[in-house]
Amino acid sequence: QVQLVESGGGLVQPGGSLRLSCAASGIIFSIDRMGWYRQAPGKERELVAVSASRGSTNYADSVKGRFTISRDNAKNTIYLQMNSLIPEDTAVYYCNVLYRRGSVTGESEVWGRGTQVTVSS
């Protein structure tokens, strides 16, 4: 099985920065996409940023210009650099990976357990 290990969450003041990381381990032939989602209390889970295998990225409008997603393919790891954080960014952030176990197998999906990000003074 593929497992995801997330780290980097915490409490930060408005205007501050945090960097999240997510490392995938297990039987992985290839990774199609890695990304971050978040879920605030009482709200649905939403996409924050994703990075496809060919390098394309996509961001939620609410984080464009403030968050940057990057990946280290050799380590099967993605990062989310979050700058200029605002209270509305407070949520549990989940790592999500779409991968394949072999060259002819279908795509599988795995979620991390989530890491709490709290933006408050």
Side-chain angles (χ1 to χ4, degrees), residues 34-53:
M34 303 181 78
W36 292 94
Y37 290 71
R38 68 186 181 187
Q39 187 167 17
K43 295 186 177 181
E44 294 185 353
R45 190 172 298 187
E46 64 176 1
L47 180 146
V48 177
V50 293
S51 172
S53 60

Side-chain angles (χ1 to χ4, degrees), residues 2-3 7 18-19 36 39-40 60 64 72-73 81 91 105 119:
V2 172
Q3 293 184 334
S7 62
L18 283 175
R19 188 189 192 212
W36 292 94
Q39 187 167 17
K64 284 180 180 178
D72 184 335
N73 291 326
Q81 179 65 42
T105 57
V119 184

Side-chain angles (χ1 to χ4, degrees), residues 98-117:
L98 302 178
Y99 69 97
R100 298 176 189 270
R101 292 189 175 91
S103 60
V104 295
T105 57
E107 191 174 75
S108 299
E109 182 179 37
V110 61
W111 288 89
R113 293 185 176 183
T115 183
Q116 177 70 46
V117 171

Side-chain angles (χ1 to χ4, degrees), residues 1-66:
Q1 289 189 349
V2 172
Q3 293 184 334
L4 304 180
V5 177
E6 302 154 323
S7 62
L11 172 65
V12 64
Q13 292 185 345
S17 298
L18 283 175
R19 188 189 192 212
L20 306 182
S21 65
C22 172
S25 62
I27 300 175
I28 300 173
F29 174 77
S30 64
I31 293 179
D32 294 340
R33 194 186 77 176
M34 303 181 78
W36 292 94
Y37 290 71
R38 68 186 181 187
Q39 187 167 17
K43 295 186 177 181
E44 294 185 353
R45 190 172 298 187
E46 64 176 1
L47 180 146
V48 177
V50 293
S51 172
S53 60
R54 297 183 179 181
S56 64
T57 58
N58 188 32
Y59 295 89
D61 288 341
S62 59
V63 307
K64 284 180 180 178
R66 300 188 298 122

